[in-house]
Amino acid sequence: MSWYRNTVWFVKGLREYTRGGYESASKRFNPADVEVDVAGRSFLVTGANSGIGKATAKEIARRGGTVHLVCRNKDRAEVAKEEIVTETGNQNIFLHIVDISNPKEIWKFAEKFRNEHQLNVLINNAGCMVNNRELTEDGLEKNFATNTLGTYIMTTALVPLLEKAADARVITVSSGGMLVQKLNVSDLQSESGPFDGTMVYAQNKRQQVVLTEQWAKAHRNIHFSVMHPGWADTPAVRSSMPAFYERMKNSLRTEAQGADTVLWLAVSAEATKLPSGLFFQDRQPVPTHLPLAYTHSPPEDEEKLMEVLEEFSQKFKPASPGI
């Protein structure tokens, strides 16, 4: 059955996830949806120094938004910030250096940010695909630490700030790869069996979909969404999936095309007319499971994921007032 799921996903991807798929889908887009002025609204984008994160931040900056870039590498982040300011003329671009694989750093950043800034939209874009099992300094498997736990802590730590904002939104950049994975709460850190970085990444992306659905139920005043950007030509794809990149490079979407639905979810009025908690591709909600793929999970597994992540989160939370 795993062979079936992978084959269906790849064939589907060839058709929909490429540049051609975007060009076809974009014929139904309403350009006015994203031709908006967001001056006075505050956006936080993680992993914003390259790829889809930078493309998203740049487009928000063009529309007048205040943009907080959360990046791990200071040198690359400063170059990205300068590029965004220069190209958009928007001076309200702020830089924060945070390693999303380090839960203590995220908590520390979130406490400071909550005391100093407002926030209308959180965009969880930072991610990684490490192809060999690697542990962080906290003993966490790096893909899980970044893609799942980091996303969980960043979001839950900033929810109190978002709940104070008008038209608050949280967008998480997932992947169509999650369609081949059923939620597995028994091995969140990939300790059992052979390690396959691509499938670990896909499992993390399934976890992000579940997180979004659970958050949408718990926080009714915030609009949550999760999306698949398609197969885009980004530095992360080139470095983490070199064989895939070589095979598909002439068909990959541009970074801006990959970021289009993130932007639409972040700024358009149309996005929040749809229910919270949905999975999007090319500006429309799409199913989170393939037919006959048997990737549905029982509710107790989804609740268990939230419980385990909360336990991890509290383990790394600093003992300080305000959090």
Side-chain angles (χ1 to χ4, degrees), residues 66-300:
T66 296
V67 185
H68 295 273
L69 312 175
V70 174
C71 308
R72 180 175 56 86
N73 184 290
K74 187 172 186 291
D75 292 340
R76 289 202 294 265
E78 287 175 345
V79 171
K81 176 187 172 181
E82 183 62 31
E83 180 184 323
I84 293 168
V85 170
T86 300
E87 290 192 21
T88 68
N90 187 337
Q91 299 294 319
N92 293 318
I93 312 298
F94 301 93
L95 185 57
H96 311 272
I97 305 304
V98 185
D99 183 349
I100 303 297
S101 73
N102 186 321
K104 298 188 198 79
E105 273 191 35
I106 302 171
W107 275 120
K108 183 178 179 182
F109 160 75
E111 179 176 36
K112 187 171 188 291
F113 190 90
R114 282 166 46 177
N115 290 332
E116 296 177 357
H117 302 282
Q118 65 166 347
L119 183 63
N120 299 93
V121 181
L122 167 62
I123 299 171
N124 290 310
N125 167 73
C128 71
M129 184 193 294
V130 179
N131 289 311
N132 295 301
R133 193 169 189 277
E134 180 182 326
L135 301 183
T136 69
E137 63 182 45
D138 297 304
L140 300 168
E141 191 277 315
K142 193 161 188 178
N143 293 292
F144 167 78
T146 306
N147 302 327
T148 302
L149 184 60
T151 297
Y152 178 85
I153 295 177
M154 181 66 77
T155 303
T156 53
L158 292 176
V159 156
L161 187 58
L162 287 160
E163 286 181 330
K164 299 175 184 177
D167 187 16
R169 310 182 189 193
V170 175
I171 300 115
T172 299
V173 178
S174 182
S175 166
M178 68 91 193
L179 291 167
V180 306
Q181 286 285 313
K182 179 179 179 179
L183 178 66
N184 179 7
V185 291
S186 66
D187 189 25
L188 291 177
Q189 298 204 63
S190 309
E191 295 171 283
S192 302
F195 187 90
D196 182 332
T198 303
M199 288 299 106
V200 170
Y201 177 83
Q203 173 65 207
N204 295 160
K205 295 302 174 176
R206 168 63 70 187
Q207 291 159 5
Q208 290 178 342
V209 170
V210 174
L211 288 178
T212 299
E213 293 169 345
Q214 295 297 310
W215 286 327
K217 294 175 187 175
H219 306 288
R220 301 288 185 176
N221 295 329
I222 302 171
H223 190 273
F224 289 87
S225 54
V226 59
M227 59 79 66
H228 173 40
W231 291 340
D233 186 351
T234 66
V237 167
R238 284 176 233 147
S239 62
S240 297
M241 304 174 69
F244 172 82
Y245 173 74
E246 283 301 318
R247 186 168 67 249
M248 299 296 297
K249 62 184 178 183
N250 294 326
S251 300
L252 296 177
R253 298 180 177 201
T254 65
E255 293 173 346
Q257 290 170 343
D260 177 82
T261 296
V262 189
L263 178 71
W264 183 82
L265 289 166
V267 306
S268 78
E270 294 304 307
T272 52
K273 292 178 182 177
L274 294 163
S276 182
L278 299 181
F279 179 61
F280 287 82
Q281 178 186 319
D282 292 332
R283 301 193 190 184
Q284 66 180 6
V286 293
T288 57
H289 300 277
L290 294 172
L292 305 178
Y294 302 101
T295 52
H296 292 269
S297 301
E300 54 265 30

Side-chain angles (χ1 to χ4, degrees), residues 13-27:
L14 286 176
R15 192 170 57 244
E16 297 182 12
Y17 298 166
T18 61
R19 187 187 313 142
Y22 174 83
E23 290 168 352
S24 176
S26 66
K27 292 174 183 175

